[in-house]
Amino acid sequence: MTLRIDIGGLPSERVRFAASPLAELTAMLHVLAEPGHHPQRAGWAGDVWSGLRPELAERLREAEFLWRSSRADFLVPARPRPTLAEELDDVDRIDDEIYVTAALTTTCGSNRVHFAAPSPLTDATARERALDLAQARGALQEAFAERLLADPAAVRARVRQTLEQCAEAFFDAAWTGVAVQLATDLRLKNDLLKRQGIGAALASISSAVTLAPDGDCIVVDKLQDKANAAHGTGVTFLPSVFGSPHLVVVHAPGRQPVVQYPVAGPSPSQPVSLETVTLRLEALAHPVRLRLLRTLARGPHTTGELAHAWELSPPEVSRHLAVLRRAGLLTSRRHGRYVRHALDLPDLTALGSDLLAAVLR
């Protein structure tokens, strides 16, 4: 599964790497709303929650519709500004229909909408659908959606005020250090873009973001099958310190594509592709292969030993071993007359975390 951004014929100056205070603030808000996605930030999230005024804590819970399971597109700017205030001013310029439709997008990837789609402000069916989705998220989110549809201007003003209060409460202090990390990453990305081209710049983001062989498409390894085009608008890449492990992609048709990617830590681990994770899960789904792994987990064995241990024919064992080898869970080495097969314990152990990373990506 991939998300594809068509960049065929796009001038190089339309590919932009820049920092966004608003996108980083909402990455922090997502951490506060979903700390289970970010165990490395658990201490920070606990400290922030314990220091918030009760009124602000309640405001964050009522508005988390905007950043919890999905990120409202206007919170991931295609044209970043130097300051949070300037970016919030840009949000204020968005018309109500676009704002409300984006705010009520509740599920990552599945229901991004085209500008031409009916607005819940004017279309009864779209309104009912939006309220049904909000109701499924809980009473607070249902109430938020009802208020937004009844009085968009009041809710928009309240959301902006909430974000400004977050800046005072915790964002401004955190941004001082975060901005330095983002600036360092941006120097690297823009230098690679200038000297070696977009392929090298994308490769430095993550192995989950690549340039297609023909150079006309950016491919993002995500649990989605979507496509968008950057023709006439360009594509923006936003580094994030608090966004890890997520790759957030704004891909609504008609909107400029935006990718918010995590800045690598001191010892970054390359993400395992969805294809590899799928191969490994399929390899482990067969009961015979699980029996073979049970033996191999105790040490290297030959095909004959495995066949004898489980009363199987050597050709049958060989077929199952080939599946495990293609999935990267097995290594085979010749020792004289014998070929011994060994389980790759680190890769098998990491499968759970690799699966979680692929789902969260």
Side-chain angles (χ1 to χ4, degrees), residues 276-304:
T276 298
V277 172
T278 302
L279 279 174
R280 290 175 179 173
L281 291 174
E282 290 174 347
L284 295 173
H286 198 289
V288 171
R289 290 194 281 274
L290 286 176
R291 294 190 188 105
L292 297 177
L293 287 176
R294 179 177 173 83
T295 301
L296 291 170
R298 289 159 172 77
H301 287 70
T302 66
T303 300

Side-chain angles (χ1 to χ4, degrees), residues 12 91 96 133 146 187-188 230 237 267-268 295 323 326 338-339:
S12 58
V91 172
D96 282 347
L133 290 170
E146 288 176 344
R187 280 195 294 271
L188 169 65
F237 293 90
S267 301
T295 301
V323 173
R326 283 196 298 272
Y338 301 100
V339 175

